[in-house]
Amino acid sequence: MALAIELTGITKRFPGVIANDDINLAVEAGEIHAICGENGAGKSTLMKILYGMQPADEGVMKVNGEIVDFTSPSEAIDAGIGMVHQHFMLAGQLSVLENVILGAEPTKSANRIDRAVATKHLAEVGEAYGLTIDPDDLVETLEVGERQRVEIIKVLYRGAKILILDEPTAVLVPQEVDELFRNMRELKADGATILFIDHKLEEVLEIADTITVLRQGKTVATVKPTDVTTADLAELMVGSELPTPATSASTVTDEVALEIRDLTVLDDNGRPSVDNVSLRVHRGEVVGVAGVEGNGQNEMIEAVMGTEPIHAGTIILHNSDITRLSVRARREAGIGYVPQDRHHEGLLLEAPLWENAALGYQTKAPFSRGIWFDSAGTRERTEKIREEFDVRTPDIDVSAHALSGGNQQKLIIGREMASEPELLVAAHPTRGIDVGAQAAVWENIRKARRAGMATLLISADLEELIGLSDTIVVMYKGRLVAVLDPNEIDARALGSYMTGANLALDTTAGDAS
Amino acid sequence: MTDDSLRRRIFMTLAAPVGAVLLSVVFSAIVLLIAGANPFAAYADMFEHAAKLETQVSMINRATPLYISGVAAAIGFRMNLFNIGVEGQYLLAAIFAAFVGGAVALPGVFHIGLILLVAMFVGGMWAGVAGLLYTQRGINEVISTIMLNGVALGLVAALVKEWQAKGDIAIVKVGTEPIADSGIIPNLTFIPELFGDIRNDLTGVLVIAIVVGISYHVLINRTVFGYDLRASGANPFAARAGGIPPKRMVMTAMLMSGAVGGLVGMAEIMDKGRYNPNFVGYLGFNGIAVTLLGRNHPAGIALGALLWAFLEASSNILQVTNTAPKEIADIMKGVILLSTVIGYEVVRRIRVREEAARTAARLAEVA
Ligand SMILES: Nc1ncnc2c1ncn2[C@@H]1O[C@H](COP(=O)(O)OP(=O)(O)OP(=O)(O)O)[C@@H](O)[C@H]1O
Ligand SMILES: [Mg+2]
């Protein structure tokens, strides 16, 4: 078969690191080709080079047999390549249609966008690939799975025949992943070539025709999914065996660390996004909140953190009412926070790592003494985080945006865990983290849990929810609709609870613990 | 850090503004040629003038309020808060400070202290109005401070009449009551004297400018508040999640910016001993330019202020010598400003590329 993409000797250097080191990659036309590798292995960098976002320092790229040298994404788009990024790039305030045509507006006269033509074209694209979405919806109001579909449609709309998807499943729940894979197979049947990055190895084996593994910027193997197991893949990625998830004895105490009482949060339209929720998390307990994105989990943790106003209810941390406290006071009372979107709420992307390591803790030692910021103490702590949480970076003076996605996440986890919180509020703590590092983060949370840390966990990764939680509650349309024992449920069953399908089965709805 | 890399860093930091100045020299020369003037003669006049000690003293006198104004703007810029209102803040602060200073008689330190406090208070309050509008009503600070400038100018015009000095016809209509000597910050005459000039007075407000600059540096880089300020500017959402109260930061930054802004008019007050109707204008707007040049950096702003003062001195001398239209200084200001902003971006890119190449070379050595 003909090669859709052929990369030879691609090399890309950044200050202090070689992101891509003499990489060779051959992708056949019409296949689904997975790229695997640890955090910082150079996957996103390679894809950005192929998409014309960054120039390679060395190497030759061929697309459909012809040598290309893209200096911008628009040239890649002209050559039929489209990319959906690890961190979405949509404008929330615009409609689906506007987002899709942004930068590729069909024009009637000089500057006017021809909406009619665009709508028609969008419908055609959607139909051809079985991707449907209302063009007039505001992107802001969409769930993650839908946003991703918008990103894909946006790419197809520009006539892409070669699709690059950077960690498309990281933000999806299993049902949405199935949907995405269905779409991918359909695209493939229509002759598209798909390159995608994924840290979940079962998924890779399920969907890929060919798998290329990168390690420290080099291609280490290209394999067929039928010839390998997930353990083999992990070994290729990290050069050692996949750690088996440790089962651990319960450390739940009867001391309540966090209590949420009758919490109601209203959205902008005055409708409840969290509807009269009560919940308890004990010292040494992990309570996992399952739910399809957009069912109130985020609003609930924002209420616990105090970043968004609540309508009614009480939040109690270790017997003291914190409902009226500021975010800072809550932080100082010992709440750690891993926000759901690391770029939005987690990091100062333009600031160096050591400044990022202080964020949220700047009023406490070792980051400050009284009113004085302590640079030396901060740097020392940052080095410690870097070491303990394996944040791969040349040094702690680089800015956060220079880290790979997974390493940014590790930095955030490290920052929060290093402060030894009483309560950890974590949304998707291992999103985008490779299998090896994921096991390490889990182990870290378990260790802290043994020492008495209470955890309120949200995750789209159901294996993570089941593997880490002592109790799972399901949130649906703003309410707690089920309390489940993680030992007695699997991902599939949990998935159906989340979509509301198993509602009738449950009787304890509304009151957890 | 090695000597070599330190030297490189300094070079890279200065590359953009120095390049911008050179570019403006070339560009203005072309403009002068087209206008039929001799650029060499004009530049020679400018430098000859600037080489004189007395010009230098007056440049520093001029740069002093510009510097304070630059720092005032920079405090807001650090958190992406655009206080365009220093103009109104300093004028209003100046007239209040002069009025109060002229109305009382106190021992020296207290008298001067009172005047400075009033200035800072009035400047802070006026900026605080914009802060309130922002935090309570969500009104963009750029728009509100611009509008408040207009209001302040009107207010000042009214107050000048209201607070006009009474009594002797000779001093009526020339401003507020004169401030007694106890309220005047003495000039630093001893410094020019060291260099052999005894005719010129170096403004004592220079000391205040230096204190303001050092305080600014310490505040931004050494305190938790400074960290909060920078974090809010870098990513307001992450800052909020990190426990930094967004509204209180806006309010505090506005108050501080305004309080420093209130001091901008002090050099003139101390020089004239009162607020007079042709009080020096545009220091607020020029302060913004100076801050852009200096990238919000305490030393950078100082260099920017001196450059601005030099260009203004040049514009004055060209009027005298008539070798070139004095507007050439304004053209140079504009070109410098534009090309520095572009230059900073270019330098940033070069830096990244060079660093990558150096790393590669280092790695190749090891391998
Ligand atoms: N703009 C940049 N400036 C400096 N270094 C960078 C930049 N972008 C990436 N790097 C570095 O290049 C290496 C590869 O990063 P890349 O983002 O390609 O990793 P990745 O394989 O996609 O990892 P992840 O699974 O965590 O997303 C990392 O060490 C990263 O720190
Ligand atoms: Mg990546």
Side-chain angles (χ1 to χ4, degrees):
Chain A
M1 259 202 111
L3 290 180
I5 293 168
E6 191 179 1
L7 307 181
T8 6
I10 298 289
T11 297
K12 175 76 185 175
R13 304 176 194 95
F14 287 113
V17 277
I18 303 191
N20 289 169
D21 189 359
D22 193 20
I23 288 194
N24 299 317
L25 177 71
V27 181
E28 284 180 17
E31 74 165 346
I32 298 182
H33 195 119
I35 312 277
C36 293
E38 281 186 293
N39 295 130
K43 307 179 294 294
S44 297
T45 303
L46 187 64
M47 295 302 113
K48 285 179 193 161
I49 290 172
L50 180 56
Y51 189 51
M53 286 178 77
Q54 291 174 342
D57 296 331
E58 288 162 30
V60 180
M61 303 201 287
K62 282 190 195 168
V63 174
N64 298 322
E66 291 188 25
I67 293 185
V68 292
D69 183 16
F70 302 138
T71 56
S72 74
S74 61
E75 293 178 28
I77 291 167
D78 289 342
I81 300 178
M83 176 160 176
V84 175
H85 293 278
Q86 186 169 3
H87 304 100
F88 291 171
M89 300 188 173
L90 294 173
Q93 300 289 334
L94 299 183
S95 73
V96 168
L97 179 69
E98 286 163 336
N99 263 287
V100 167
I101 61 180
L102 207 65
E105 299 92 342
T107 51
K108 233 187 295 190
S109 59
N111 282 320
R112 292 211 18 249
I113 299 173
D114 191 338
R115 291 188 74 95
V117 171
T119 314
K120 191 156 156 283
H121 188 176
L122 178 61
E124 284 165 8
V125 170
E127 221 162 281
Y129 299 103
L131 292 157
T132 46
I133 211 146
D134 185 345
D136 295 324
D137 277 350
L138 271 194
V139 161
E140 229 176 21
T141 65
L142 299 184
E143 284 162 20
V144 214
E146 295 174 312
R147 283 188 200 201
Q148 187 167 60
R149 236 167 289 151
V150 175
E151 288 269 22
I152 295 176
I153 291 176
K154 183 171 172 173
V155 162
L156 296 173
Y157 182 90
R158 288 162 171 69
K161 282 285 162 200
I162 300 171
L163 268 75
I164 304 170
L165 310 177
D166 193 348
E167 296 193 27
T169 66
V171 294
L172 304 180
V173 296
Q175 271 76 359
E176 291 173 314
V177 172
D178 289 345
E179 175 84 29
L180 172 70
F181 283 1
R182 241 195 327 278
N183 291 331
M184 281 168 67
R185 291 203 180 92
E186 231 161 283
L187 288 167
K188 177 179 145 183
D190 278 313
T193 306
I194 301 176
L195 255 166
F196 84 110
I197 298 175
D198 198 339
H199 286 297
K200 295 181 193 144
L201 304 179
E202 303 85 28
E203 291 176 357
V204 172
L205 292 186
E206 182 189 336
I207 186 87
D209 297 312
T210 312
I211 305 163
T212 293
V213 180
L214 300 189
R215 191 197 307 157
Q216 292 174 6
K218 296 193 176 70
T219 5
V220 290
T222 297
V223 294
K224 292 286 171 191
T226 43
D227 302 338
V228 291
T229 63
T230 50
D232 295 336
L233 272 183
E235 210 177 317
L236 284 172
M237 279 165 52
V238 296
S240 64
E241 252 176 76
L242 183 68
T244 41
T247 46
S248 56
S250 167
T251 56
V252 183
T253 64
D254 55 7
E255 195 182 327
V256 178
L258 171 75
E259 179 168 6
I260 300 174
R261 236 185 255 159
D262 309 322
L263 176 70
T264 298
V265 179
L266 300 182
D267 66 15
D268 293 342
N269 302 319
R271 277 191 292 268
S273 47
V274 177
D275 194 353
N276 201 25
V277 163
S278 295
L279 180 75
R280 282 188 185 149
V281 187
H282 298 89
R283 264 175 66 87
E285 183 184 30
V286 178
V287 172
V289 182
V292 176
E293 176 93 21
N295 276 278
Q297 315 91 303
N298 291 328
E299 287 80 0
M300 180 168 78
I301 60 170
E302 278 166 3
V304 173
M305 290 315 299
T307 49
E308 291 295 336
I310 67 171
H311 176 67
T314 315
I315 295 162
I316 297 164
L317 182 73
H318 284 305
N319 294 324
S320 59
D321 186 341
I322 61 166
T323 319
R324 313 247 158 268
L325 293 189
S326 67
V327 182
R328 174 159 285 170
R330 294 180 200 213
R331 289 271 205 175
E332 287 173 348
I335 306 185
Y337 183 40
V338 178
Q340 60 151 344
D341 181 338
R342 54 182 168 252
H343 282 188
H344 185 60
E345 279 194 310
L347 295 168
L348 312 170
L349 283 175
E350 301 299 324
L353 299 190
W354 60 270
E355 280 189 20
N356 276 282
L359 190 64
Y361 299 95
Q362 65 270 34
T363 52
K364 293 203 287 197
F367 305 108
S368 64
R369 256 181 268 130
I371 63 161
W372 304 106
F373 188 80
D374 183 347
S375 307
T378 301
R379 298 185 68 92
E380 206 172 298
R381 172 64 77 87
T382 313
E383 287 291 0
K384 200 175 135 213
I385 292 172
R386 173 188 174 189
E387 224 162 275
E388 275 178 28
F389 291 82
D390 189 27
V391 181
R392 310 255 170 108
T393 172
D395 61 64
I396 59 169
D397 286 304
V398 303
S399 44
H401 76 78
L403 291 192
S404 79
N407 283 303
Q408 291 171 346
Q409 188 71 18
K410 288 194 254 174
L411 177 71
I412 295 177
I413 299 278
R415 170 176 82 198
E416 303 303 321
M417 296 302 287
S419 76
E420 299 175 353
E422 298 275 334
L423 168 71
L424 177 69
V425 177
H428 319 287
T430 60
R431 182 174 272 180
I433 292 188
D434 68 54
V435 276
Q438 186 179 44
V441 169
W442 287 347
E443 192 39 50
N444 220 287
I445 292 180
R446 288 207 183 94
K447 205 167 83 194
R449 185 186 66 159
R450 278 198 292 281
M453 180 179 79
T455 308
L456 183 61
L457 172 74
I458 290 184
S459 185
D461 181 343
L462 301 190
E463 300 296 343
E464 173 167 86
L465 269 184
I466 293 172
L468 215 50
S469 305
D470 297 295
T471 310
I472 293 181
V473 298
V474 180
M475 215 166 165
Y476 182 69
K477 295 197 171 157
R479 293 159 160 267
L480 291 191
V481 293
V483 183
L484 305 168
D485 182 345
N487 297 317
E488 290 169 7
I489 194 156
D490 63 12
R492 288 285 134 188
L494 184 54
S496 22
Y497 270 102
M498 290 160 52
T499 51
N502 279 22
L503 270 191
L505 295 178
D506 194 79
T507 48
T508 58
D511 187 25
S513 301
Chain B
M1 195 178 299
T2 63
D3 259 14
D4 201 42
S5 74
L6 182 66
R7 220 173 299 135
R8 268 203 80 71
R9 244 188 65 179
I10 294 174
F11 171 77
M12 281 304 227
T13 313
L14 293 180
V18 171
V21 170
L22 291 180
L23 187 70
S24 80
V25 168
V26 174
F27 184 83
S28 309
I30 296 170
V31 173
L32 286 174
L33 281 175
I34 292 172
N38 178 353
F40 296 104
Y43 290 155
D45 282 349
M46 285 163 66
F47 280 102
E48 203 175 300
H49 183 59
K52 288 185 207 140
L53 187 60
E54 60 180 79
T55 317
Q56 285 161 5
V57 171
S58 80
M59 266 165 56
I60 294 176
N61 287 344
R62 175 71 181 162
T64 297
L66 270 177
Y67 179 71
I68 299 176
S69 171
V71 172
I75 293 172
F77 286 178
R78 275 296 170 107
M79 67 168 292
N80 281 340
L81 196 65
F82 290 86
N83 178 9
I84 312 293
V86 175
E87 190 71 22
Q89 288 147 21
Y90 91 80
L91 288 172
L92 208 58
I95 193 167
F96 270 93
F99 176 71
V100 172
V104 299
L106 289 168
V109 197
F110 297 103
H111 201 171
I112 294 172
L114 178 70
I115 291 173
L116 296 182
L117 273 181
V118 169
M120 291 176 72
F121 180 79
V122 173
M125 286 302 115
W126 198 243
V129 175
L132 271 183
L133 287 172
Y134 185 103
T135 51
Q136 303 304 314
R137 288 280 171 273
I139 296 169
N140 182 296
E141 80 283 2
V142 176
I143 295 170
S144 64
T145 48
I146 289 177
M147 308 257 253
L148 284 168
N149 277 344
V151 179
L153 289 180
L155 219 66
V156 167
L159 288 175
V160 166
K161 283 203 198 98
E162 188 65 27
W163 288 344
Q164 220 164 63
K166 317 259 177 317
D168 188 348
I169 196 74
I171 55 171
V172 173
K173 293 197 192 288
V174 289
T176 55
E177 293 287 353
I179 300 168
D181 279 351
S182 58
I184 301 292
I185 299 176
N187 286 324
L188 306 171
T189 3
F190 70 96
I191 294 179
E193 267 173 18
L194 282 181
F195 296 91
D197 183 313
I198 43 164
R199 281 192 318 139
N200 280 283
D201 286 331
L202 185 61
T203 176
V205 178
L206 178 62
V207 176
I208 293 178
I210 292 170
V211 171
V212 162
I214 293 173
S215 312
Y216 168 70
H217 168 75
V218 170
L219 182 83
I220 293 294
N221 297 311
R222 297 270 184 276
T223 67
V224 173
F225 176 81
Y227 176 88
D228 287 356
L229 195 78
R230 284 180 288 135
S232 307
N235 181 351
F237 302 102
R240 188 187 56 179
I244 303 168
K247 286 185 177 175
R248 199 181 323 151
M249 287 309 293
V250 168
M251 203 58 213
T252 321
M254 264 299 177
L255 289 175
M256 287 171 93
S257 179
V260 173
L263 295 174
V264 170
M266 288 307 104
E268 174 110 341
I269 295 283
M270 297 303 162
D271 184 34
K272 303 270 170 18
R274 56 164 35 151
Y275 186 100
N276 66 331
N278 354 320
F279 201 77
V280 55
Y282 299 106
L283 286 174
F285 298 122
N286 281 304
I288 293 172
V290 159
T291 302
L292 282 176
L293 281 181
R295 305 207 80 185
N296 300 333
H297 189 283
I301 302 171
L303 290 178
L306 284 170
L307 178 63
W308 241 229
F310 164 71
L311 289 172
E312 279 166 16
S314 302
S315 145
N316 291 341
I317 191 66
L318 290 180
Q319 255 171 302
V320 178
T321 61
N322 224 356
T323 35
K326 72 175 167 63
E327 283 74 20
I328 203 68
D330 287 329
I331 294 178
M332 290 180 83
K333 278 186 187 170
V335 175
I336 290 173
L337 209 53
L338 258 179
S339 39
T340 324
V341 174
I342 298 168
Y344 278 131
E345 178 59 22
V346 173
V347 167
R348 194 185 63 79
R349 292 191 188 176
I350 293 177
R351 221 186 215 155
V352 168
R353 202 172 315 147
E354 282 206 340
E355 227 171 301
R358 260 207 312 285
T359 310
R362 216 168 51 224
L363 288 166
E365 267 169 38
V366 178

